Amino acid sequence: MKKLIGLKKIKTAVFISGKGSNLKNLIKFSIKKNSPISINLIISNTRYAKGLKYSIKYNIQKKIINFKNKKIAEKKILKFLLTKKINLICLAGFMKILSKNFIKKFKGKIINIHPSLLPKYKGLNTHKKAIENNDKFAGCSVHFVTAKLDSGKIIMQKKIKILKRDTIYSLAKKILKKEHLLYPAAINKIYN
Ligand code: GRF
């Protein structure tokens, strides 16, 4: 990926579907002086995504895109990305799978945060799987997005110990805290 030149920040879009705690965290990171990114666009596939409130709070443009027809949805998104000169896409709890074609158009410029120690537990219910399998460790990963789900090159991971008393809920909470440290660190790693 292109290195940061001078003080120009990488124009970034964050894609969400839910609560948006990672979005909020990325916005806070982006407004730090030394951050390599600025967040210029929020995309959600649903108007019910709670994270959309950060669009108002931080004055960032948002677009809600209906994914009933993926081809049309992605075409619309591409148009917005080009208009806003977006150079990085951060998926943050985005629950739709992007097409091969879309990913190709933004090759090497889409990253995702996933709540497991990839390549373990791709897809959903990662915390449940880790607990049911009596794993000693769990964690989160930031990786490049490729056409194969949760399989692109890993940029960075954070690992935590699973305690005997941990439940799916407590584990999810602890890992989310780590996610908020990991996503900015992974972005710094790409651009510094
Ligand atoms: C996070 O656990 C992330 O790893 C996963 O979806 C969750 C999104 O949480 N992909 P939030 O909406 O950022 O709070």
Side-chain angles (χ1 to χ4, degrees), residues 18-23 92-94 112-115 127 176 179-180:
K19 210 161 55 137
S21 72
N22 276 291
L23 165 65
F94 186 61
N112 179 43
I113 188 147
H114 183 76
H127 310 308
L176 194 61
E179 289 183 34
H180 296 161

Side-chain angles (χ1 to χ4, degrees), residues 29 34 39 41 102 111 124 128 141 148 154 156 182:
F29 164 66
N34 290 329
I39 295 180
L41 185 63
F102 182 94
I111 60 178
L124 298 174
K128 185 169 181 263
S141 313
K148 230 173 143 200
I154 292 165
M156 259 181 129
L182 183 68

Side-chain angles (χ1 to χ4, degrees), residues 33-192:
K33 200 172 154 227
N34 290 329
S35 166
I37 62 163
S38 63
I39 295 180
N40 302 79
L41 185 63
I42 298 166
I43 300 273
S44 172
N45 63 301
T46 161
R47 67 191 169 98
Y48 298 111
K50 290 213 173 87
L52 285 170
K53 66 178 180 223
Y54 300 117
S55 149
I56 300 158
K57 188 166 177 200
Y58 293 97
N59 194 22
I60 299 169
Q61 193 177 5
K62 67 160 188 270
K63 293 285 171 196
I64 297 157
I65 309 285
N66 187 323
F67 261 72
K68 249 188 191 156
N69 182 323
K70 195 191 270 197
K71 224 175 168 178
I72 295 173
E74 291 185 339
K75 218 173 157 185
K76 277 189 193 160
I77 294 177
L78 268 175
K79 205 185 91 194
F80 294 128
L81 296 175
L82 294 178
T83 315
K84 302 285 284 180
K85 297 195 166 64
I86 298 295
N87 235 324
L88 174 71
I89 296 172
C90 293
L91 306 183
F94 186 61
M95 297 306 282
K96 294 288 171 189
I97 294 173
L98 296 165
S99 75
K100 222 188 248 178
N101 236 328
F102 182 94
I103 294 167
K104 218 164 70 190
K105 291 203 171 100
F106 260 78
K107 201 167 173 244
K109 293 178 180 172
I110 311 177
I111 60 178
N112 179 43
I113 188 147
H114 183 76
S116 81
L117 292 170
L118 288 171
K120 248 187 167 178
Y121 311 139
K122 296 168 184 171
L124 298 174
N125 303 318
T126 53
H127 310 308
K128 185 169 181 263
K129 287 174 193 163
I131 284 185
E132 280 176 2
N133 288 335
N134 285 318
D135 287 357
K136 286 199 165 57
F137 297 97
C140 46
S141 313
V142 173
H143 65 93
F144 286 106
V145 172
T146 58
K148 230 173 143 200
L149 186 71
D150 298 330
S151 298
K153 188 172 171 242
I154 292 165
I155 301 159
M156 259 181 129
Q157 292 184 311
K158 267 196 189 293
K159 191 168 156 182
I160 61 161
K161 234 186 177 152
I162 302 179
L163 307 176
K164 274 215 175 91
R165 60 170 184 274
D166 268 325
T167 60
I168 297 170
Y169 177 77
S170 72
L171 192 59
K173 208 169 149 189
K174 279 194 264 182
I175 290 177
L176 194 61
K177 258 192 182 165
K178 294 288 175 194
E179 289 183 34
H180 296 161
L181 298 173
L182 183 68
Y183 221 160
I187 291 170
N188 275 335
K189 188 177 171 196
I190 296 171
Y191 291 110
N192 291 320

